[in-house]
Amino acid sequence: MFATFAILVVALVVVGAVFLFGGKDTPGYGPDSSVGLGQSAGSSASKTTQSSTGSDSDVSTTEPDHESSSTSTVDTVPSVNMSVRATAETSPEAFNITTKIFRGTTQIPSFQRQNTIFFGPGKEYTSLEGIVTFRGNNYREGAAYGTAAVERAKLTPVWSANTGSVAKATGTGAWTGSGWTGQPLIVRWPADIRAIMNIKAEKKADPGLTEVIYPCLDGNIHFLDLRDGSRTREPIVSGGGPFKGTGSLHPDGTPLLFVGHGDNSPGKESVRSRLYSLIDQKLLYTFGRSKDPNAYRSFHAYDSSALFDINADTIIEPGENGLLYTIRLNTQFDKEAGTLSISPGQAVKVSYTAPNYSNGPSNTPSTRWWGMEDSAVIWQNYLYVAENGGKFMCFDLNTMELIWVQDVLDDTNSTPIFEESPEDGTCYLYISTSLHITRKGAADPRHGGIPIWKIDAATGEIVWQTPMYDCYTISGVSGGVQATPVLGKEDIAHLVIYAIARTPNVESGILVALDKRTGEEIWSTSFDHYSWSSPVAVYTPQGKAYIVLCDSIGNMFLLEGTTGRVLDSINLGTNIEASPAVFDDMIVVGTRGQKIYGVRIE
């Protein structure tokens, strides 16, 4: 009798809910809502949305605090179910780090994202053929697509294309060619997307067209045919300063391109994050204005390569002003009509600070700088990013809370890489740093040491740390690690491979392969000149690994992945700070000598 009665009660509750809510989800407070200061949970506050006029000003219009799209759903089954949390040693309180959350420019005490962010594994980040962001995906695993049928292990230059220069904001000197990180994007567009783009007619008719998209230090975005380096369309002339970092394409094929400036134009506050339509190359939106009122740091730039969450329709971009930006784009893409528009909502941002951070003239132990120059890693709803002041941080993107912090000693520009480890029931991050704060001081201010770490992604705890590598930093040109490492697969699946600059001498460098489990050196190859350029692993169909590495005088090397033995090298004329990307057997990289090169691995 009691069981029958309970079943009747449950049935009545379900029927009542259907009549009350019409079978729909109960309304929330808006897709990226939070309870703001002086605002109750049930209030109908308005929010501002930046217009998509392409202007450099933050034009705003008001709209209700609800959006029509539903909360995102995720079908991905994770291979690792780890619980992300801090320990006593990695809690933000242990480092006296505090954060503030902002909606627009208004500080709010807490936040809960309605359209929840959830990223799948790195291999599922994009449906496109190619390299669509710095190091490929949200795990930043690598910059090669496809395989190469390597027979002779030789590097053969195939083509070159010219770039240019732009004056530095100081008025002295110029940014030339391609710089750090400066990785090209390479994509083979689906036929229906290629058909609606303003690609040249003869290129559009080529079913095998693979397009190189390259934001460069000249402030322009270049579009080239991977096959021969010819122009697929005219460059986008941004009218701003240099693009030092790497762009990002929308991963589901929506023809939307992110790029971020790394410096101003002379006499202009032109540093912005920019979103362009690749249907007609028009500027749709900019964000990250100068002197954001929520930023602690007065300097700002956007070298980080953004990531897009498809389901939440949100772009995620760390800034060198010390703010982490998340913006819902409200994308409208009609493939049949050939139209693309975005109507971004207010940015939801988070800042961080600690007692020893300041806008001082230099980055030192007592005057550390805010700011994020590396590209963030994202696992599910957790973002991992290092920063100029020497901290490695984990944020929950759905609450914008800082979860854990680890001390990585120094100004970190190298992007971390992420590894799932189902056998351990957790995930790992590999990270290293450049040499600025940890220099030895007055006795030898140029000299110091940097280690490499393996970090538990769940807790931020150190799994292993290598001994210090002695490095030099000369006149602001950093030693240590500027490059992002190779996370080995196939026959080097047991290795993580780092390029370390200005070690053991001022001009020299090494490429070192470490055992992922222990941090032990498996092999180390010495070079007469150092590398800021990130090494890239290329694999044959049989799973044999080769490493491509570029250096500070224009050398490109091809190495055997299992041994580090140099198999071939060519010289491309001048400093290669930029990181190459590889599509099948074609390498693309730009130099400071105002050239982009296509090189074949034979």
Side-chain angles (χ1 to χ4, degrees):
M1 289 177 61
F2 285 114
T4 303
F5 179 74
I7 292 169
L8 288 172
V9 169
V10 171
L12 287 170
V13 169
V14 172
V15 171
V18 170
F19 277 100
L20 181 60
F21 299 119
K24 298 179 181 178
D25 292 337
T26 56
Y29 310 140
D32 292 334
S33 66
S34 52
V35 179
L37 295 172
Q39 177 184 325
S40 68
S43 68
S44 57
S46 64
K47 68 178 181 180
T48 60
T49 297
Q50 295 178 333
S51 70
S52 55
T53 59
S55 162
D56 270 351
S57 61
D58 287 331
V59 182
S60 300
T61 58
T62 60
E63 68 178 24
D65 201 23
H66 301 276
E67 294 172 17
S68 60
S69 56
S70 62
T71 302
S72 60
T73 59
V74 179
D75 297 325
T76 298
V77 177
S79 60
V80 176
N81 288 306
M82 68 175 179
S83 173
V84 180
R85 75 281 183 196
T87 65
E89 292 75 23
T90 63
S91 69
E93 293 78 13
F95 296 90
N96 293 316
I97 291 182
T98 58
T99 61
K100 295 179 181 178
I101 304 171
F102 303 91
R103 187 184 183 97
T105 57
T106 302
Q107 186 179 349
I108 54 178
S110 63
F111 174 74
Q112 182 62 55
R113 197 177 301 274
Q114 190 81 358
N115 287 276
T116 54
I117 287 174
F118 188 101
F119 281 73
K123 63 185 179 182
E124 298 177 5
Y125 178 68
T126 182
S127 58
L128 293 172
E129 296 180 78
I131 304 296
V132 300
T133 188
F134 184 65
R135 307 302 277 189
N137 57 38
N138 52 304
Y139 287 4
R140 310 296 183 178
E141 293 173 293
Y145 176 85
T147 60
V150 180
E151 295 180 356
R152 300 173 56 232
K154 295 293 182 183
L155 298 170
T156 301
V158 176
W159 54 260
S160 66
N162 295 326
T163 58
S165 65
V166 66
K168 292 186 175 180
T170 59
T172 303
W175 297 104
T176 61
S178 300
W180 179 94
T181 55
Q183 176 206 287
L185 308 175
I186 308 176
V187 61
R188 180 173 290 154
W189 294 110
D192 53 354
I193 302 295
R194 187 176 72 247
I196 62 174
M197 291 176 164
N198 65 342
I199 295 171
K200 293 179 179 179
E202 66 274 18
K203 300 293 184 181
K204 187 179 292 190
D206 179 1
L209 176 67
T210 303
E211 190 169 45
V212 176
I213 301 172
Y214 213 153
C216 291
L217 288 176
D218 59 7
N220 300 327
I221 305 167
H222 300 268
F223 298 83
L224 308 172
D225 188 330
L226 177 65
R227 185 176 298 159
D228 59 13
S230 58
R231 303 277 173 178
T232 56
R233 34 186 156 178
E234 294 304 311
I236 293 175
V237 180
S238 75
F243 295 120
K244 291 194 298 178
T246 298
S248 286
L249 292 166
H250 198 285
D252 74 350
T254 299
L256 186 63
L257 171 68
F258 163 88
V259 289
H261 284 298
D263 191 17
N264 287 307
S265 299
K268 292 171 60 180
E269 289 286 348
S270 57
V271 170
R272 306 286 286 178
S273 289
R274 297 171 180 255
L275 285 166
Y276 288 93
S277 166
L278 291 184
I279 295 175
D280 54 14
Q281 298 181 303
K282 288 184 178 177
L283 179 64
L284 299 179
Y285 178 62
T286 72
F287 66 92
R289 63 187 177 183
S290 174
K291 299 175 183 176
D292 188 306
N294 304 134
Y296 289 106
R297 190 175 181 185
S298 56
F299 177 80
H300 74 127
Y302 302 95
D303 292 346
S304 180
S305 185
L307 291 169
F308 294 87
D309 184 291
I310 296 171
N311 290 309
D313 194 16
T314 296
I315 188 171
I316 301 152
E317 169 69 357
E320 205 173 348
N321 58 0
L323 289 172
L324 172 60
Y325 292 82
T326 67
I327 304 171
R328 185 167 167 80
L329 297 177
N330 297 304
T331 306
Q332 298 292 324
F333 173 41
D334 187 329
K335 191 161 35 180
E336 292 185 1
T339 58
L340 172 64
S341 66
I342 57 176
S343 181
Q346 279 188 312
V348 176
K349 302 176 284 187
V350 63
S351 69
Y352 66 93
T353 194
N356 59 339
Y357 282 70
S358 77
N359 277 299
S362 58
N363 203 6
T364 70
S366 58
T367 58
R368 299 204 173 193
W369 288 342
W370 305 272
M372 296 162 279
E373 289 184 80
D374 57 325
S375 296
V377 160
I378 301 178
W379 178 79
Q380 296 190 1
N381 53 298
Y382 294 99
L383 177 141
Y384 302 90
V385 67
E387 53 92 45
N388 293 151
K391 301 299 182 290
F392 187 27
M393 302 180 291
C394 171
F395 290 90
D396 184 336
L397 289 169
N398 289 327
T399 62
M400 302 301 276
E401 292 177 292
L402 178 59
I403 304 300
W404 59 248
V405 180
Q406 182 55 260
D407 187 359
V408 289
L409 303 179
D410 212 323
D411 181 352
T412 304
N413 298 322
S414 172
T415 290
I417 50 173
F418 188 89
E419 179 185 39
E420 294 181 347
S421 183
E423 62 272 22
D424 295 338
T426 190
C427 301
Y428 298 109
L429 295 140
Y430 299 88
I431 190 168
S432 188
T433 187
S434 59
L435 178 70
H436 286 285
I437 299 170
T438 55
R439 287 177 286 180
K440 291 187 175 179
D444 190 353
R446 310 176 308 162
H447 188 203
I450 62 98
I452 297 167
W453 293 270
K454 181 177 183 176
I455 304 289
D456 189 321
T459 63
E461 295 174 304
I462 295 172
V463 178
W464 52 251
Q465 175 180 327
T466 67
M468 293 285 188
Y469 290 92
D470 278 343
C471 302
Y472 293 83
T473 288
I474 308 296
S475 301
V477 181
S478 301
V481 175
Q482 293 283 103
T484 295
V486 166
L487 183 68
K489 301 182 187 302
E490 301 291 354
D491 69 346
I492 57 168
H494 59 300
L495 301 179
V496 59
I497 302 172
Y498 269 90
I500 306 176
R502 294 193 179 277
T503 185
N505 303 307
V506 169
E507 294 300 328
S508 61
I510 63 172
L511 188 67
V512 60
L514 306 176
D515 186 296
K516 289 180 184 177
R517 303 292 296 184
T518 66
E520 176 189 2
E521 280 195 15
I522 302 302
W523 56 256
S524 178
T525 302
S526 299
F527 297 90
D528 292 337
H529 301 277
Y530 64 86
S531 294
W532 277 16
S533 177
S534 298
V536 179
V538 181
Y539 301 93
T540 68
Q542 295 76 33
K544 181 174 176 57
Y546 295 86
I547 306 297
V548 177
L549 180 69
C550 303
D551 75 9
S552 59
I553 64 164
N555 290 316
M556 177 184 287
F557 298 95
L558 184 67
L559 298 91
E560 186 174 52
T562 53
T563 66
R565 181 168 61 98
V566 175
L567 303 173
D568 194 25
S569 67
I570 57 173
N571 187 271
L572 300 180
T574 189
N575 184 7
I576 307 174
E577 291 177 5
S579 295
V582 183
F583 192 105
D584 291 341
D585 61 355
M586 283 294 295
I587 306 165
V588 180
V589 71
T591 74
R592 293 300 302 269
Q594 302 180 54
K595 292 278 190 181
I596 300 169
Y597 288 92
V599 177
R600 177 168 286 114
I601 307 171
E602 296 185 343

